[in-house]
Amino acid sequence: MTVSEREAREVAEAAREKDWRKPSFAKELFLGRFRLDLLHPHPEPAAEDIARGEEFLARLRDFVETTVDGPLIERESRIPDEVITGLKELGALGMKAGTEYGGLGLTQVYYNKALALVSSASPAVGALLSAHQSIGVPQPVKMFGSQEQKDAFLPRCARSDISAFLLTEPDVGSDPARLATTAVPDSAGASGPHEAGGEGDYLLDGVKLWTTNGVIADLLVVMARVPEPAADDPRRAAGHKGGITAFVVEAGSEGITVENRNAFMGLRGIENGVTRFHRVRVPAANRIGPEGAGLKIALTTLNTGRLSLPATCVGAGKWCLRIARQWSRERVQWGRPVAEHEAVGGKISFIAATTFALEAVLDLSSQMADEERNDIRIEAALAKLYGSEMAWKMADELVQIRGGRGFETAASLAARGERGVPAEQLLRDLRINRIFEGSTEIMHLLIAREAVDAHLSVAGDLIDPDKTLADKRKAAVTAGTFYAKWLPRLVAGSGQLPGAYAEFGTLAPHLRHVERTARKLARSTFYAMSRWQGRMETKQGFLGRIVDIGAELFAMSAACVRAEKLRRDGTDGAEGRAAYQLADAFCRQSRLRVDELFDRLWSNTDDLDRKVVREVLDGSYTWLEEGVIDPSTDGPWIAEVAPGPSTKENVHRRIR
């Protein structure tokens, strides 16, 4: 499909959750309001949730240690069937499913702990479990499915059936307005009436790319476009509105072909493929929600689903710290262990402090998700963004600390008699996290849109070229009232009071800094909107830095709250003192990054970069490309996808 930029934005905007029915710490933060009361005291899980979670973690650890062979999965690029079968028997497919459906009923907190544990042994196994439960069939059915759908699908997903989520297409990524897969209502051979009142099933046609778990899945969540009926079409009278719609599809249905099992630089065991649909009949009863609600269902599912990714990042940070500690004490250079050399010690301090902060962000966001008192859509997005970026940096620093051994594979190290430390594999495995479930660049834009939502709500019509003068006058009055109350509050706050947040002891100065910086961030955002107005959405470099500052402030807040919780809960005080030291180190490191980001808000090369890009695309610098050989194979940049039956062997396999 070909759609304009405006049409693409309208589709994305229509899929947003527009209402804020619950408070949001991050939303308030971007508005310059430091609502520490939404985080502190740190929310606590219920005793029965802890008991249930710890019991399962113990069983899972035993299974992982005795059954999951990470090096084997890496070598063979496949998770053995017996491992998947064992996970099913353990109940790991139903960690988040309610006990009434045969699941374990774990909280988000313990689900994340389980993913971190499994991923430390094999990131591919962690990806399988996460894709199945965080974005696969269970989550959207749990949130948006009918009771009949819950009864039909959740027990299967909890115990036996693997699920996958199919949205991306060969030419469609983060721009779903161009979705080409169709689901056409069809009355011939109907299995029953549509929920909306008409009769017939849907015929599904199209190709989906990067279908994690798709090669072995039993159930699929498929996003497809239902054609919008014409005004005189009887389907409109029957309640059909068309639009991107979500369906649960049986993977073994006639007309489904898994045409390729994709291979990647990391996560080599994931069952990720290309799936073709040719006139696949889907019962109307398998439609999740109404027609046209598919994209909103997908985005809402990701609100908490995104927390699974930073869980694996936290696990990676913990492993990086362990290896860095052990290796840096053992390795001696220039008469001292390398950890005692400042150049290496700084990297170890970064890994330790950042791991502490990432776990603080993850646990806090997850506990808030479990309590459902706050709207955490921005917090979860920030956790995904920040976790994926910082975990990648920690893994890179570990490789650097290990030197040549960091670049050498674990198998090669073991073959010559040394400990097989897979540092280079970790770097490869973590790289996809900056792309999975919304790339860093897309996450910047999504979070920025939420960060300026309050401004657009009151003043958006002022900068909308399609609005009438009457609309603009009305918006001016509304905006004037809002800003008359809001702007004065950005001048002063508790961050300027020496005694504020005294209960946090030595960490209080950091929280005062967060409060002051939140107001500064809000002032900067307001100034930018006043300066660029309708062109604000094109300033992606600026918006990305605004979001990154917000992510740092959220992480600092979470680190301080977690440190105070550990101090308060500790018995001998040692853990609390250690937590305070880690939080202090992280906040000091983070404040330096924030200062740099603020400097780059207004002093950067964004304008020059745009000019250079235009020249690159125009071919002005082709002379710079000379003198090398391109090892790429021939073929189109994007595979041609035409509807119709498959001409390839079906590589789908069932796990028995």
Side-chain angles (χ1 to χ4, degrees), residues 590-647:
S590 178
R591 288 170 68 165
L592 294 176
R593 293 191 292 267
V594 168
D595 288 343
E596 180 183 355
L597 287 166
F598 268 116
D599 289 341
R600 290 175 58 210
L601 282 181
W602 312 111
S603 178
N604 52 64
T605 61
D606 291 350
D607 291 339
L608 177 58
D609 292 342
R610 280 189 286 271
K611 294 177 183 177
V612 170
V613 169
R614 283 195 293 269
E615 294 296 319
V616 168
L617 297 181
D618 289 343
S620 300
Y621 304 144
T622 53
W623 50 269
L624 192 59
E625 302 167 9
E626 296 174 0
V628 297
I629 301 298
D630 183 358
S632 307
T633 63
D634 293 332
W637 287 104
I638 299 172
E640 294 291 336
V641 176
S646 179
T647 60

Side-chain angles (χ1 to χ4, degrees), residues 323-340:
I323 297 301
R325 173 179 59 83
Q326 294 177 344
W327 166 250
S328 298
R329 292 173 61 184
E330 181 75 18
R331 177 64 165 167
V332 175
Q333 290 283 275
W334 305 103
R336 289 188 295 170
V338 294
E340 296 181 13

Side-chain angles (χ1 to χ4, degrees), residues 502-549:
E503 67 269 33
F504 285 86
T506 56
L507 298 180
H510 297 310
L511 292 176
R512 292 197 290 270
H513 178 270
V514 171
E515 195 278 335
R516 295 193 304 272
T517 306
R519 287 186 282 111
K520 181 180 179 181
L521 180 63
R523 293 194 300 268
S524 299
T525 304
F526 175 75
Y527 172 72
M529 292 189 66
S530 303
R531 175 179 175 181
W532 291 314
Q533 298 184 32
R535 293 184 295 125
M536 181 77 163
E537 64 182 20
T538 68
K539 303 297 181 179
Q540 295 182 2
F542 177 90
L543 293 172
R545 295 174 196 114
I546 287 288
V547 170
D548 286 340
I549 292 171

Side-chain angles (χ1 to χ4, degrees), residues 24-254:
S24 166
F25 172 82
K27 177 178 179 288
E28 295 292 308
L29 192 71
F30 281 111
L31 284 171
R33 299 191 283 252
F34 181 47
R35 291 287 308 279
L36 186 61
D37 60 295
L38 296 177
L39 307 182
H40 176 70
H42 195 292
E44 300 280 359
E48 56 269 26
D49 291 335
I50 295 175
R52 185 186 304 116
E54 292 295 340
E55 186 275 333
F56 176 71
L57 284 181
R59 291 193 291 117
L60 181 63
R61 176 178 287 275
D62 180 67
F63 173 82
V64 169
E65 290 178 342
T66 58
T67 308
V68 177
D69 187 340
L72 175 69
I73 294 172
E74 176 72 5
R75 288 195 305 273
E76 298 188 353
S77 296
R78 175 165 293 183
I79 302 171
D81 287 4
E82 56 267 26
V83 171
I84 300 176
T85 301
L87 290 170
K88 293 180 179 182
E89 294 172 349
L90 195 64
L93 295 187
M95 286 187 282
K96 293 187 71 178
T99 54
E100 66 272 28
Y101 299 109
L104 299 180
L106 297 187
T107 62
Q108 184 72 39
V109 170
Y110 275 95
Y111 171 66
N112 288 339
K113 291 180 182 295
L115 289 180
L117 174 62
V118 170
S119 297
S120 65
S122 170
V125 177
L128 182 150
L129 293 174
S130 175
H132 165 67
Q133 293 171 90
S134 297
I135 58 176
V137 170
Q139 192 70 10
V141 168
K142 175 183 175 182
M143 297 179 69
F144 298 99
S146 65
Q147 189 59 52
E148 291 75 15
Q149 290 172 335
K150 293 175 184 178
D151 292 339
F153 299 123
L154 292 184
R156 292 171 58 184
C157 292
R159 289 295 178 185
S160 60
D161 288 14
I162 296 171
S163 69
F165 174 76
L166 281 63
L167 171 63
T168 304
E169 298 176 359
D171 197 26
V172 178
S174 299
D175 179 15
R178 296 167 50 248
L179 201 73
T181 298
T182 59
V184 179
D186 179 73
S187 59
S191 62
H194 278 296
E195 294 175 16
E199 292 188 352
D201 297 335
Y202 293 86
L203 291 181
L204 199 61
D205 284 274
V207 176
K208 295 293 185 179
L209 176 63
W210 297 326
T211 59
T212 300
N213 288 359
V215 178
I216 59 173
D218 305 288
L219 289 172
L220 314 171
V221 173
V222 182
M223 297 295 163
R225 182 184 302 279
V226 178
E228 297 181 8
D232 58 349
D233 193 317
R235 287 179 297 182
R236 180 181 290 273
H240 292 285
K241 58 177 294 187
I244 298 174
T245 306
F247 299 90
V248 177
V249 181
E250 299 281 354
S253 299
E254 183 178 354

Side-chain angles (χ1 to χ4, degrees), residues 4 23 85-86 109 202 213 316 320 371 373 407 421 456 571-572 603:
S4 67
T85 301
V109 170
Y202 293 86
N213 288 359
C320 285
E371 291 189 349
R373 287 191 295 112
F407 192 66
V421 178
L456 294 180
T571 54
D572 59 1
S603 178

